[in-house]
């Protein structure tokens, strides 16, 4: 999601503007079972959860299963003072058959509600997102046409823009009542449109033996503080590998960094900070060494086909969102359609671990309802 999100931001805003990230949470840093974010970044409550139920971090996302009633995830108070046109986005994913308005079960429908509060005011609910909810609810089960047709929303990114004030609090309320039903929250991002502290002209990576040579050029950066260079082996989970002071000139500058890379495909992005510690990300770039672990499975989300090109014999492990192992297969080098191996898997998030002699990659896959069904 973040790769797509970064690309869309570059399309929406001209080169001298950027959607700078104010606050984000992708849940990747937490162990399974976590219910409260680090240093109070977010909290969660599940007053009706019974033994065997869960409302917690699972496999790098926040998931709810059989929570029975009114389970709430809420962010800390996020500082948005001094900026305008604030936007937030978050992923909402469901697995299983959730009951909706047409289920003849009265008020006991399943829902995923997103609301926000500005400056401590009343929470405002985003209603009937993309037609997959109803008045008072953001998303509901069996929502389309108000009938019990299993027309759940599957996977969607909910957004709200044009916000302004001093503080913002996000709230997500989930409800489902069966062990076969799961709702998942992921990739929460709050951003705003602003002038760039750095006008980035280019950012490139070149392999050289066991090194990656990274270069970037700016045309102006007089409000710049420093750069953080981040690296990933799958284009999703990044870690900082370098902190480089900015020259801070109005005429621009050239930079160079060497990374002792693994013999595989790796991804890089540049995080530029201004003097007020605001920051924005560059485009994600990649470089491939002599050996590549794998290409990214595509398309994602997927319905009837899921392709994966392997450069070496690999073991593939499929897990459900709660971390339970569902299937393990072994495949040779080459291009494979993984769809036959996923028949019978429910819609929603699937975790795929790909292991070979060069290491292990982790991918979050979203399975949609197959076309024609």
């Amino acid at each position: 999601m973040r790769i797509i999100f970064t690309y869309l931001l570059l399309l929406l805003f001209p080169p001298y503007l950027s959607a700078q990230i104010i606050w984000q949470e992708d849940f990747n840093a937490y162990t399974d079972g976590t219910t409260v974010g680090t240093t109070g970044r977010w909290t969660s409550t599940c007053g009706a959860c019974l033994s065997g139920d869960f409302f917690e971090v699972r496999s790098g996302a926040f998931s709810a299963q059989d929570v029975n009633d009114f389970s709430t995830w809420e962010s800390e108070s996020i500082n948005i003072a001094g900026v305008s046109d604030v936007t937030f986005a978050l992923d909402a994913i469901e697995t299983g058959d959730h009951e909706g308005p047409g289920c003849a079960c009265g008020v006991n429908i399943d829902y995923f509600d997103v609301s926000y509060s500005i400056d401590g005011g009343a929470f405002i609910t985003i209603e009937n997102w993309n037609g997959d909810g109803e008045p008072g609810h953001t998303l509901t089960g069996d929502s389309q046409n108000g009938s019990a047709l299993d027309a759940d929303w599957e996977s969607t990114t909910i957004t709200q823009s044009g916000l302004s004030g001093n503080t913002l609090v996000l709230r997500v309320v989930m409800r489902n009542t069966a062990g076969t039903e799961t709702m998942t929250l992921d990739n929460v991002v709050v951003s705003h449109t602003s002038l760039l502290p750095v006008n980035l002209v280019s950012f490139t990576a070149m392999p050289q033996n066991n090194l990656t040579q990274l270069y970037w050029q700016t045309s102006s950066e007089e409000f710049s503080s420093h750069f953080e260079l981040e690296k990933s082996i799958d284009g999703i989970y990044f870690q900082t590998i370098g902190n480089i002071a900015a020259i801070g000139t109005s005429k621009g500058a050239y930079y160079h960094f060497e990374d002792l890379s693994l013999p595989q495909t790796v991804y890089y992005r540049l995080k530029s900070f201004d003097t007020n510690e605001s920051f924005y990300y560059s485009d994600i770039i990649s470089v491939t060494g002599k050996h590549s672990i794998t290409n990214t499975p595509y398309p994602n989300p997927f319905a009837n086909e899921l392709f994966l090109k392997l450069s070496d014999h690999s073991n593939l492990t499929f897990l459900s969102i709660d971390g339970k192992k569902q299937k393990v297969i072994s495949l040779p080098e080459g291009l494979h359609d993984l769809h036959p191996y996923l028949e019978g898997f429910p819609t929603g998030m699937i975790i795929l671990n790909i292991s070979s002699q060069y290491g292990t990659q982790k991918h979050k896959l979203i399975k949609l309802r197959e076309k024609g069904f």
Side-chain angles (χ1 to χ4, degrees):
M1 285 303 301
R2 280 176 288 176
I3 296 176
I4 296 172
F5 184 67
T6 302
Y7 176 70
L8 289 175
L9 292 179
L10 292 172
L11 291 178
L12 289 172
F13 299 101
Y16 56 86
L17 292 177
S18 172
Q20 287 187 211
I21 295 175
I22 301 172
W23 189 95
Q24 61 183 336
E25 181 59 78
D26 59 13
F27 304 103
N28 293 333
Y30 303 103
T31 59
D32 288 359
T34 301
T35 58
V36 178
T38 305
T39 64
R41 283 174 55 81
W42 51 268
T43 57
S44 69
T45 56
C46 186
C49 280
L50 303 175
S51 177
D53 304 339
F54 61 81
F55 190 67
E56 62 194 25
V57 173
R58 293 280 179 110
S59 300
F62 194 89
S63 294
Q65 179 176 287
D66 196 14
V67 295
N68 300 305
D69 211 0
F70 305 113
S71 297
T72 303
W73 178 94
E74 188 170 298
S75 76
E76 64 183 336
S77 180
I78 302 166
N79 182 9
I80 60 172
V83 297
S84 60
D85 194 20
V86 173
T87 296
F88 71 81
L90 57 87
D91 294 344
I93 305 159
E94 62 83 22
T95 303
D97 184 7
H98 292 85
E99 291 73 39
C103 68
C105 52
V107 298
N108 295 320
I109 63 173
D110 297 335
Y111 53 80
F112 187 110
D113 287 348
V114 178
S115 60
Y116 61 94
S117 168
I118 301 291
D119 295 339
F123 277 87
I124 301 172
T125 299
I126 299 175
E127 300 185 355
N128 195 24
W129 178 255
N130 283 344
D132 285 329
E134 63 173 4
H137 292 300
T138 307
L139 298 164
T140 61
D142 297 329
S143 56
Q144 298 178 23
N145 304 316
S147 58
L149 299 175
D150 191 23
D152 303 332
W153 69 89
E154 296 184 339
S155 175
T156 186
T157 300
I158 300 168
T159 62
Q160 178 68 47
S161 60
L163 305 177
S164 63
N166 294 310
T167 61
L168 168 69
V169 177
L170 305 179
R171 177 182 290 173
V172 176
V173 178
M174 304 185 216
R175 183 186 192 277
N176 59 11
T177 56
T180 57
E181 302 168 348
T182 303
M183 295 181 181
T184 302
L185 166 69
D186 204 359
N187 298 323
V188 186
V189 178
V190 180
S191 62
H192 74 95
T193 305
S194 68
L195 290 172
L196 294 178
V198 174
N199 187 4
L200 190 65
V201 175
S202 62
F203 178 41
T204 58
M206 297 176 59
Q208 186 181 57
N209 298 323
N210 290 327
L211 296 175
T212 299
Q213 304 288 350
L214 293 128
Y215 305 90
W216 63 98
Q217 178 187 357
T218 66
S219 62
S220 65
E221 53 174 68
E222 61 183 316
F223 300 112
S224 178
S225 168
H226 64 282
F227 301 92
E228 288 184 1
L229 191 60
E230 298 183 349
K231 176 181 176 180
S232 169
I233 63 169
D234 59 9
I236 300 175
Y237 307 103
F238 284 83
Q239 62 178 357
T240 301
I241 60 171
N243 190 306
I244 302 94
I247 295 174
T249 173
S250 61
K251 297 181 180 180
Y254 293 88
Y255 296 87
H256 171 234
F257 187 91
E258 288 187 348
D259 175 39
L260 181 61
S261 179
L262 297 174
Q264 60 186 42
T265 297
V266 289
Y267 301 84
Y268 297 95
R269 67 183 181 186
L270 197 62
K271 189 175 183 181
S272 302
F273 288 81
D274 68 12
T275 53
N276 294 322
E277 287 300 301
S278 295
F279 63 87
Y280 75 99
Y281 286 107
S282 72
D283 236 345
I284 294 172
I285 61 175
S286 65
V287 61
T288 301
K290 182 178 179 181
H291 300 287
S292 174
I293 289 182
T294 177
N295 291 338
T296 301
Y298 68 93
N300 190 24
F302 72 96
N304 295 73
E305 295 178 327
L306 178 66
F307 296 101
L308 176 65
K309 184 178 181 181
L310 298 172
S311 61
D312 197 69
H313 186 277
S314 303
N315 292 320
L316 280 62
T317 304
F318 299 91
L319 303 97
S320 59
I321 186 61
D322 58 2
K324 294 180 180 178
K325 188 180 296 183
Q326 302 297 311
K327 180 173 289 189
V328 178
I329 60 175
S330 181
L331 294 175
E333 175 184 350
L335 180 64
H336 303 275
D337 182 2
L338 301 183
H339 180 263
Y341 303 103
L342 297 175
E343 291 183 357
F345 274 61
T347 58
M349 183 177 288
I350 301 170
I351 307 300
L352 170 61
N353 291 334
I354 306 172
S355 300
S356 73
Q357 63 175 317
Y358 301 113
T360 299
Q361 284 186 315
K362 179 179 180 180
H363 298 275
K364 292 180 182 179
L365 306 176
I366 305 298
K367 183 181 181 184
L368 305 177
R369 184 173 295 103
E370 295 189 11
K371 298 175 184 178
F373 289 86

